[in-house]
Every structure is written in C-alpha cells, then in structure tokens.
C-alpha cells in the first residue's frame, strides 16, 4: 500500500489567497484526521471524519478553515483567506475505523508558508 | 478532554547513552497509549503502543515504554541510543475516541 498520500508537499502563498490541501487515505480506512503541527502548539487535531461524515470539527481554528470528504478516498482542507499565522505543517492521517484500537497512519504532511 | 505533557523538550546526548522521555497524561477513563517518532523531514511513525496487558511494552528499534497507571505515565526508554535515533518523539493518549498528542521531545544524538 502506498500509505496516506498528501499533496502538495510544500505550498507557499501570499496572505489572502485560498489554499487547498489534499489527502488520499489508505484504501479501506474509514476514519480520516487532519492535524496541524507548529512549534508553539505542537500537534493539534483540526477535524476528523468517519465514513466520510465529519464527526468533530471543534479543533478547526476559524471559519476560514473548512474540510470536506466527498468520498472514501479523498479529502480536502481549505483555508480561505489564508493568513501568515496559518503557516504550519498540516498532516492527514487515517485508520481503519473510529472505534478500533489500530494506530493512526500519517501522511508526509504539507508544509504551508503564508507570506 | 485528556491532555498530554512531555517534559524536557530538547534532549541532547551522546551515542550509547541511555534515553528516557517522560509522558504524563490527565484522563480518568480507559486509555490507549502511543509513542510516535518523526525523523527529520519525514512523517510520524508508530514506535509502540499500549492497549492492555503487560504494562512494559516493547517497540521497534530497541525502544520500550512502561505504563504506570497510578502515576498516569507512559515513559519511553532506550538503553543505548544511536545517531539515527535523532528525531522528534511524540506521546499520544487516546481516550473517549479522541487522540491527544504531547508537544514532543526533540532528541539529538551526537556521534
């Protein structure tokens, strides 16, 4: 299996622009998670889906952030408009299901820089 | 919601030295415990996990961790580190279907 695939690997954009991060979970995994990693706050859970349905989005920082999972093999995290404080590494992770004891499988992350 | 504390954010040690990273959590219910490692430029990978049973857990690459329920701790250990163990280490606690991460320990092993 190719693992969790994220794109792009790096994204540099100007403040005010729309940013879309993409994630393809491992085939057969029903739960998908978006995390943000910064030096100040470490790893933060933004939102997670189970069977394509958002279960908990309480970690999404502001209305500028939105996430979708239109099907079992694809999810997007969108920031509109982006701000310099959004600069971070964004990780997508998946696992077989929400209730199981299996660990998370992480993607390589997208390093976002907003200037 | 549970929280996870990792102390000594930066650790520098020589090859062959022993490593111990502390992890304490706050959550009163049943937990699953994990240690993840992030090598420079790479994604997080699972080192080891504890669900139940023997509180001393063996992981990959010679790492082990001990769950001490009375202390709400899950410390990571390696008796003799190598230069290739230079990485960031994250403790994670799953309770009530939410996974919370600590802020990580940046470990640098000097050859």
């Amino acid at each position: 299996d190719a693992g969790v695939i994220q794109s792009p690997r790096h994204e540099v954009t100007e403040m005010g622009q729309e940013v879309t991060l993409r994630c393809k979970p491992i085939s057969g995994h029903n739960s998908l998670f978006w995390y943000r990693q910064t030096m100040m706050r470490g790893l933060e859970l933004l939102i997670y889906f189970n069977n394509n349905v958002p279960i908990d989005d309480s970690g999404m920082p502001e209305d500028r952030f939105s996430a979708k999972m239109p099907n079992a093999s694809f999810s997007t995290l969108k920031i509109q408009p982006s701000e310099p404080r959004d600069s971070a590494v964004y990780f997508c992770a998946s696992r077989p299901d929400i209730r199981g004891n299996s660990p998370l499988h992480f993607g390589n992350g997208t390093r976002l820089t907003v200037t | 919601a549970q929280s996870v504390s990792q102390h000594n954010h930066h650790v520098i040690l020589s090859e062959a030295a022993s490593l111990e990273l502390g992890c304490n959590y706050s959550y009163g219910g049943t937990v699953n415990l994990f240690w993840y490692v992030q090598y420079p430029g790479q994604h997080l990978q699972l080192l080891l996990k504890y669900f139940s049973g023997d509180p001393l857990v063996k992981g990959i690459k010679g790492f082990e961790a001990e769950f001490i329920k009375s202390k709400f701790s899950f410390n990571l250990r390696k008796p003799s580190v190598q230069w290739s163990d230079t990485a960031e280490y994250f403790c994670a606690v799953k309770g009530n279907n939410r996974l919370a991460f600590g802020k990580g320990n940046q470990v640098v092993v000097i050859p």
Side-chain angles (χ1 to χ4, degrees):
Chain A
D1 197 316
V4 176
I5 299 172
Q6 289 185 247
S7 64
R9 189 72 192 270
H10 299 274
E11 176 81 42
V12 180
T13 190
E14 287 184 335
M15 184 174 69
Q17 297 298 308
E18 178 180 297
V19 174
T20 300
L21 312 180
R22 297 173 177 79
C23 175
K24 182 180 187 307
I26 292 174
S27 177
H29 283 193
N30 295 326
S31 298
L32 182 141
F33 302 76
W34 281 101
Y35 283 88
R36 177 172 68 176
Q37 183 183 33
T38 61
M39 285 292 292
M40 293 297 293
R41 294 186 298 272
L43 267 167
E44 303 171 277
L45 176 64
L46 300 177
I47 184 172
Y48 70 91
F49 296 83
N50 194 49
N51 293 323
N52 312 338
V53 176
I55 303 299
D56 185 347
D57 65 353
S58 59
M60 297 286 261
E62 298 169 38
D63 291 344
R64 299 184 293 107
F65 285 70
S66 62
K68 293 182 179 179
M69 192 164 184
N71 57 61
S73 59
F74 183 65
S75 176
T76 59
L77 178 68
K78 188 176 292 187
I79 309 172
Q80 167 62 20
S82 58
E83 296 183 4
R85 59 195 169 116
D86 301 330
S87 298
V89 180
Y90 290 81
F91 286 99
C92 177
S94 71
R95 56 182 291 184
D97 68 71
I98 201 72
R99 291 184 180 83
N101 289 331
S102 54
L104 287 173
H105 297 260
F106 283 84
N108 284 329
T110 295
R111 182 173 294 276
L112 173 65
T113 303
V114 183
T115 61
Chain B
Q2 68 270 34
S3 64
V4 183
S5 298
Q6 290 181 244
H7 314 293
N8 301 324
H9 184 67
H10 291 96
V11 177
I12 301 174
L13 61 169
S14 301
E15 275 192 316
S18 64
L19 172 68
E20 179 158 0
L21 302 177
C23 173
N24 289 90
Y25 65 93
S26 63
Y27 184 71
T30 302
V31 292
N32 300 142
L33 301 158
F34 308 84
W35 275 96
Y36 283 85
V37 60
Q38 186 176 22
Y39 297 104
Q42 296 187 27
H43 60 279
L44 282 89
Q45 303 169 46
L46 182 69
L47 260 184
L48 47 79
K49 60 185 185 288
Y50 171 81
F51 295 144
S52 63
D54 188 343
L56 186 61
V57 180
K58 303 283 187 184
I60 60 171
K61 305 187 180 186
F63 285 90
E64 65 179 30
E66 185 175 11
F67 172 48
I68 302 179
K69 189 175 181 179
S70 60
K71 294 184 178 180
F72 297 90
S73 69
F74 190 56
N75 294 354
L76 180 71
R77 295 193 291 258
K78 183 168 182 177
S80 177
V81 295
Q82 300 171 311
W83 173 79
S84 57
D85 293 322
T86 294
E88 191 153 14
Y89 294 81
F90 293 90
C91 181
V93 176
K94 177 171 170 279
N96 197 27
N97 279 331
R98 283 190 70 91
L99 184 65
F101 283 85
K103 290 194 174 181
N105 296 107
Q106 184 70 51
V107 175
V108 175
V109 180
I110 300 171

